[in-house]
Amino acid sequence: MIKTDRLILRPLTTSYLDAFVDLHADPRVNRFVGAYSRERAAERLTAVELQWETRGHGLCAVELRSTGEFIGRSGLQYWERYDEVELGWTLRARAWGQGYATEAGRACLDWGFANLDAEYFTALMRPGNDASIRVAERLGFAPRRQDTLSGDPVTVYAIDRPTG
């Protein structure tokens, strides 16, 4: 579990199934990350649990410290295809514009550099996802290359391990 001033991040598990499906049901939220049926969400959350078990990191539920409300997900996901770890975030639309994505992302990056043997982390951005690009840039990410994810073009942003 990671605590920030306003957030609690804990491993995302199948116990969050309903909240996860609800998060991705909003067309404003799923525009860049897609929607999930209950079956697909259960498979995804099972895979997240397995990544926590086998790699020691994964996606986290993001909750408000003040109320315990689930407002989204953030965390470090390993992509076997790229042999890279991506920092990602997806928040409920009502949580946008309040700095939560940056706060959660910073906490995950700090945890990742302290606990994982990675020289850099990535953030995969689809064209037009300007709000997430701004979050990535606030966190210190910069464009590294062009690639594809699930057949869609993405710009791969990266942040290197701090030196010193």
Side-chain angles (χ1 to χ4, degrees), residues 119 160-164:
E119 290 305 310
D160 293 319
R161 176 178 291 282
T163 57

Side-chain angles (χ1 to χ4, degrees), residues 11-161:
L12 193 58
T13 65
T14 54
S15 67
Y16 287 95
L17 179 63
D18 291 335
F20 189 85
V21 171
D22 185 57
L23 168 68
H24 291 275
D26 184 333
R28 294 168 296 174
V29 172
N30 71 35
R31 178 174 170 209
F32 295 105
V33 295
Y36 282 83
S37 66
R38 284 185 64 77
E39 180 182 4
R40 184 169 168 243
E43 290 170 2
R44 178 73 174 111
L45 293 173
T46 298
V48 169
E49 287 179 335
L50 181 61
Q51 182 176 320
W52 272 104
E53 184 180 312
T54 59
R55 297 192 64 86
H57 65 85
L59 296 176
C60 296
V62 178
E63 300 170 346
L64 295 177
R65 279 184 81 160
S66 60
T67 63
E69 176 190 0
F70 173 87
I71 61 166
R73 62 182 176 94
S74 184
L76 299 168
Q77 172 177 300
Y78 177 71
W79 287 96
E80 185 174 352
R81 172 184 174 186
Y82 307 114
D83 192 27
E84 294 174 329
V85 178
E86 176 201 21
L87 172 64
W89 52 86
T90 302
L91 299 180
R92 294 185 185 281
R94 69 176 174 266
W96 294 354
Q98 299 177 57
Y100 294 134
T102 303
E103 188 172 334
R106 170 64 52 213
C108 290
L109 274 180
D110 291 348
W111 184 93
F113 281 128
N115 292 282
L116 302 178
D117 185 28
E119 290 305 310
Y120 65 93
F121 294 111
T122 63
L124 282 62
M125 300 295 168
R126 289 200 170 102
N129 194 352
D130 297 335
S132 281
I133 290 169
R134 285 191 299 274
V135 170
E137 290 172 343
R138 276 194 296 276
L139 291 170
F141 284 81
R144 181 142 311 166
R145 69 176 189 273
Q146 298 297 312
D147 216 314
T148 59
L149 178 65
S150 303
D152 294 319
V154 292
T155 299
V156 179
Y157 283 68
I159 185 170
D160 293 319
R161 176 178 291 282

